Amino acid sequence: MHNPVSLLPSLLILVLALMFSTGVLLQLLGCVLWSNWWPMLTGIMYILVPMPYIFFGSAQGDSYSLYGSNLESGWMDAGKFLTGFSAVGSIAIPAVLAHASVITTGALVMELAAAAMLGATCVVYDYYNSKETTYF
């Protein structure tokens, strides 16, 4: 019989992979089902969103978590702000496209579901990566 604690990292990686795959699938379905590829613009935002956090977020070496702050972490806070600011773009782009009637409401819902799923994937990864017992 296997120890359930020893299976946790493998199960966590599996869950994260399924969450990410589901988010990408929803992103593609938002384009394919309505034969309109304009919602794929948010794919650019998914690449740009983590950039400020990658550049400014690792100033203290081992501190990569999204939560918590102190007075000495000005660059980290700037990275978190810019990451949050650009994350709003991944929600705003499909909303503006739907408001301008470039995409349908169904495509908007699919894109927002994809953004929520990919965002949840990042939050779950960051939560487990910031614990004292690292899984990755």
Side-chain angles (χ1 to χ4, degrees):
M1 191 84 185
H2 292 287
N3 185 2
V5 176
S6 68
L7 293 177
L8 186 60
S10 300
L11 181 64
L12 186 61
I13 290 173
L14 176 68
V15 168
L16 286 171
L18 287 173
M19 288 174 69
F20 179 79
S21 300
T22 303
V24 171
L25 178 67
L26 288 171
Q27 175 76 31
L28 289 172
L29 285 176
C31 297
V32 171
L33 291 179
W34 285 274
S35 300
N36 189 349
W37 291 94
W38 278 104
M40 197 54 85
L41 254 117
T42 54
I44 297 169
M45 291 306 294
Y46 295 142
I47 294 170
L48 294 179
V49 163
M51 291 302 163
Y53 190 65
I54 289 170
F55 295 135
F56 298 121
S58 61
Q60 293 180 351
D62 62 342
S63 177
Y64 293 105
S65 69
L66 289 173
Y67 3 89
S69 178
N70 58 31
L71 295 175
E72 301 168 355
S73 65
W75 286 110
M76 287 178 55
D77 290 340
K80 291 175 187 177
F81 172 76
L82 290 173
T83 299
F85 184 76
S86 48
V88 170
S90 63
I91 296 170
I93 289 173
V96 169
L97 289 174
H99 180 72
S101 298
V102 175
I103 65 173
T104 63
T105 306
L108 171 68
V109 170
M110 198 73 76
E111 296 299 315
L112 293 179
M117 182 61 71
L118 291 171
T121 304
C122 293
V123 169
V124 169
Y125 171 78
D126 189 62
Y127 173 75
Y128 281 104
N129 197 33
S130 66
K131 287 186 161 210
E132 289 180 20
T133 308
T134 59
Y135 295 104
F136 309 109

